[in-house]
Amino acid sequence: MKIGSEAHKKLFCHSFLDSYREYEPEHLPWPDLDQEARARLQSIPFWGIAIDTEHEAGTMLAAYAETISDPLLQTAIALQAKEEARHCRLIQTLVRHYDIAVPERPLYDVPANLHQTFVNFGYMECIDSFLAFGMFRLGCQSGFVPTSLTDLFEPLLDEEARHIVFFVNAIAYLQIQQGRRFKLWRDTYALLRYGRSILRQINDIRRSGNREGGFTATGISAISFEVTPVQFLATCLAENRQRMSQFDPRLLQPQFLPQTGAAVYRLLELFSASNDKRESPPTLRDEAKTDLP
């Protein structure tokens, strides 16, 4: 199948539309939590930022969909807007149910350049999702958040995976339709956009100490269980691989973060192995490596 063709557009749009799941956050079986679990939820600083992020995404995407002339592409982007708005309602329902204080935030003004905002949002979401996949799994494994609650957020993570696969296919399709057919040009453009998004994440992490950073950056700073960089990257890579395996192999998938993460992971493993050799005699590894890059 040729990327940028009509067949490609139908595949990535229908794959997105056909995998939609209907649910209402207000009707989910929210579990009763003991005082300790409730206190842990209340201590997480990113709920207000998460509500803002999802609300802004839903509002922006709904407005952007209205500018799209292609009926199928418009329908798919409108559905993503609906899902982002539902993510906002999901988190709002959680904070109400568990009495989590969320500060008032400024109103969101829809930007004038909706296409560029869509592009910037899409690349940032690719980064956020890769990190969030790992954070979510580590939170589940640590018991920091009860399983009865994390089960309710699995659909949100699945939808984020659907969003980023839809985005990278949509942006490639739109670029080719605009005459930008050379893959090298598209790859360079993506690399620059990822670079800008990473710089923004770094700035967000620097600001996360005063709780003014972005959603994922604040989430990383809030992790209260012990995890090494190697463990975190290994978890992100394994989770990303598992979630991406559910998609049609003919579709494009986000590659920058998985490939960069795998390279950094191997360097950290090499550095760790080198230190082990200097500090102690060789021993058998305790961990199986079958699920790691």
Side-chain angles (χ1 to χ4, degrees):
M1 185 192 61
K2 187 176 181 181
I3 300 300
S5 65
E6 184 71 11
H8 175 229
K9 181 190 73 175
K10 289 181 179 179
L11 177 62
F12 72 76
C13 285
H14 284 299
S15 295
F16 184 71
L17 294 167
D18 295 345
S19 57
Y20 171 74
R21 287 193 288 181
E22 185 65 61
Y23 66 90
E24 294 299 327
E26 298 82 1
H27 300 155
L28 293 175
W30 295 95
D32 293 328
L33 301 181
D34 59 35
Q35 186 174 358
E36 182 180 353
R38 187 182 291 255
R40 286 199 298 270
L41 276 185
Q42 293 169 343
S43 71
I44 297 173
F46 60 50
W47 299 120
I49 297 169
I51 290 171
D52 286 353
T53 301
E54 303 295 358
H55 168 71
E56 291 173 8
T59 303
M60 180 273 294
L61 286 165
Y64 180 58
E66 293 298 319
T67 70
I68 303 298
S69 59
D70 185 293
L72 182 58
L73 197 55
Q74 181 187 62
T75 300
I77 293 173
L79 178 62
Q80 184 180 352
K82 177 181 176 180
E83 290 183 354
E84 298 285 6
R86 187 169 61 181
H87 292 177
C88 177
R89 286 167 43 220
L90 179 70
I91 301 170
Q92 287 175 326
T93 303
L94 178 143
V95 300
R96 287 195 300 267
H97 193 84
Y98 299 113
D99 300 318
I100 300 172
V102 176
E104 290 291 329
R105 310 286 293 188
L107 295 176
Y108 175 66
D109 294 324
V110 178
N113 192 337
L114 286 166
H115 176 73
Q116 193 58 59
T117 305
F118 169 73
V119 171
N120 293 341
F121 168 76
Y123 285 112
M124 181 63 75
E125 191 171 36
C126 288
I127 294 173
D128 282 343
S129 297
F130 178 80
L131 299 174
F133 294 158
M135 288 167 52
F136 179 78
R137 186 55 54 206
L138 287 167
C140 294
Q141 293 171 350
S142 70
F144 185 79
V145 179
T147 303
S148 57
L149 187 56
T150 57
D151 286 347
L152 300 186
F153 278 80
E154 275 290 349
L156 186 149
L157 272 294
D158 285 341
E159 287 169 1
E160 292 296 343
R162 289 170 57 254
H163 292 174
I164 61 177
V165 170
F166 173 76
F167 169 74
V168 295
N169 283 275
I171 197 65
Y173 173 80
L174 290 171
Q175 288 173 338
I176 291 172
Q177 292 299 305
Q178 294 165 358
R180 298 165 183 172
R181 298 181 178 277
F182 292 104
K183 186 175 184 298
L184 179 60
W185 186 96
R186 300 197 306 274
D187 289 347
T188 302
Y189 179 84
L191 185 62
L192 291 172
R193 289 294 163 186
Y194 277 123
R196 289 185 61 180
S197 297
I198 289 171
L199 288 175
R200 178 181 167 185
Q201 286 282 17
I202 291 171
N203 290 331
D204 283 346
I205 290 172
R206 288 174 178 170
R207 296 200 305 270
S208 62
N210 60 16
R211 301 191 177 190
E212 289 298 324
F215 180 18
T216 303
T218 308
I220 291 173
S221 71
I223 292 176
S224 63
F225 42 88
E226 292 187 4
V227 57
T228 67
V230 171
Q231 291 170 331
F232 180 67
L233 271 176
T235 305
C236 289
L237 289 164
E239 283 297 300
N240 183 77
R241 186 163 51 248
Q242 188 276 326
R243 293 186 186 276
M244 292 298 110
S245 69
Q246 303 173 43
F247 295 97
D248 190 309
R250 293 173 294 173
L251 291 172
L252 297 173
Q253 294 183 6
Q255 295 294 326
F256 178 76
L257 258 292
Q259 290 178 353
T260 303
V264 173
Y265 169 82
R266 293 186 184 101
L267 286 174
L268 290 173
E269 278 282 88
L270 186 63
F271 179 76
S272 176
S274 177
N275 282 343
D276 289 344
K277 287 180 180 179
R278 287 197 299 267
E279 296 173 5
S280 61
T283 58
L284 292 175
R285 301 289 294 181
D286 294 327
E287 299 178 67
K289 291 295 184 182
T290 53
D291 290 337
L292 301 181

